[in-house]
Amino acid sequence: MTSAEIDLTVYPDECDAFGHLNQASFLSLFERARWEMLARGPGMDVFSRQDAWPAVRRTVIDYHAPAFPGDVLRFAQALTHHGRTSFTMRQTARRTSDDRLIATAEFVFVCIDRNGRPTPVPKDLAEFLSARPAEPPGVSRMTVNGVSLAVERRGEGPAVLFVHGYPLDRTLWSHQVAHLEGCQRIAVDLRGFGLSDAPDLGYSLPTYADDLAALLDALQVDDVVLCGLSMGGYVAFEFLRRYRERVRGLVLMDTRADADAPEVRRARDQQIALARDQGAAAIAETMVTRLLAPDTLRHNPTLAEQVRATMVATPVPGIAGALAAMRDRPDSTPLLAALEGLPTLVVVGEHDEMTPPAGHEALAASIPGARLAVIPGAGHLPPLEAPETVTRVLAAFLSSLG
Ligand code: MLT
């Protein structure tokens, strides 16, 4: 048990006539878990010491399974958003006997003073809950569109915006961000991934696209070469539907334009349930071997481990939100012909099993003037599996733009 976990026992008087823990009691258990955690940490008076009171502004609870008298529930709490005067806390309750996920809750608080005016969140609280790991050098955090996004920026000149796939983060593009010369490289963690905020709700392709547009506004970047891998490609299509004038070049990597078939949509729902029940590790288990080419798995176990670790660290709300966003995405094939005049490069790993090369030949053929580059030996993640080749291919594409 960590310092942010508390075990509480369900009492009979908290249960309804059917013997289930009732909803009002659930709410008070969540609240009690928070106060117990404060009592063990910075102290129950962490708010009053600073003349601040955490007023609840919004609560979302998902009930996953019933709990009964005598069950011991382990409540884990984490800060998923830490603003100046507001913060969001995510709590989960699991039964200790079988590790079953019983409920998850998200609470949004605003700290107010005696006069009801917003006041800063006590520092001790964020420190105790260690809202998120410190940003590595070169990575900053920007609050846009209601969330705090982690973004890495390097270089000067025309901008290239890198959008990662699922369930990964901006480190997919580490080599390109470090070595692609002559341009400003911007790699972002989409909401729900990496070091960005992971709210419980509010995921969709339009939201991801709006986040990116707001990020570019905040960075004072007018237009970009947009480079998206897999889910990043789906986001790129949505961005083009909404902000076509901000894109002056396009790179679609290991992705597809069509929508999910019915059986894929059903599989997304199963993955959402798996993530909620068993966490990100279970998702990683089903994906690592499909993402990387057989040669990468054989010869580069360190990379396989790095990809697995990135997935395991992805917050469950981010995973579930992305799966729902991908499931609900529209067919982007009608957009392709309309991309005439937009310099476009389609890239695919030679051994990509998830979005195979044949689909990319068709994709490139449907976009007027698009070129296709096949990356030898790579699977679904060429920027990691063949980093130098991808950086070289991108450099050639950028220099062709003038
Ligand atoms: C990705 O790599 O982003 C995902 O595998 C895309 C998908 O699941 O459709």
Side-chain angles (χ1 to χ4, degrees), residues 165-166 229-232 234 268 287 291 326 329 354 380:
Y166 158 92
L229 181 138
S230 202
M231 186 181 92
Y234 311 158
R268 302 268 194 217
M287 289 196 71
L291 291 181
M326 291 192 284
R329 75 184 189 279
M354 298 190 66
H380 190 61

Side-chain angles (χ1 to χ4, degrees), residues 341-355:
L342 178 66
T344 300
L345 175 68
V346 176
V347 180
V348 63
E350 180 190 16
H351 301 300
D352 184 348
E353 186 194 298
M354 298 190 66
T355 49

Side-chain angles (χ1 to χ4, degrees), residues 173 227-230 250-256 344-350 352 355-357 359-361 363-364 367 370-376 378-383 386 389-394 397:
W173 306 106
C227 178
L229 181 138
S230 202
L250 177 66
V251 181
L252 296 169
M253 208 176 283
D254 298 82
T255 189
R256 60 196 314 148
T344 300
L345 175 68
V346 176
V347 180
V348 63
E350 180 190 16
D352 184 348
T355 49
H360 291 75
E361 284 162 26
L363 181 61
I367 303 174
R371 276 171 281 160
L372 174 68
V374 179
I375 308 296
H380 190 61
L381 304 181
T389 312
V390 170
T391 302
R392 222 177 20 249
V393 165
L394 291 181
F397 175 64

Side-chain angles (χ1 to χ4, degrees), residues 48-99:
S48 51
R49 274 202 311 263
Q50 201 172 299
D51 204 14
W53 187 251
V56 181
R57 282 288 178 268
R58 195 170 68 99
T59 305
V60 178
I61 302 186
D62 278 331
Y63 298 98
H64 298 281
F68 302 98
D71 282 352
V72 177
L73 302 185
R74 177 156 298 168
F75 289 83
Q77 27 265 320
L79 275 192
T80 54
H81 171 76
H82 179 207
R84 206 180 74 79
T85 59
S86 69
F87 64 96
T88 302
M89 183 168 277
R90 182 180 159 76
Q91 292 181 272
T92 56
R94 287 183 178 275
R95 185 164 36 225
T96 55
S97 58
D98 57 2
D99 203 33

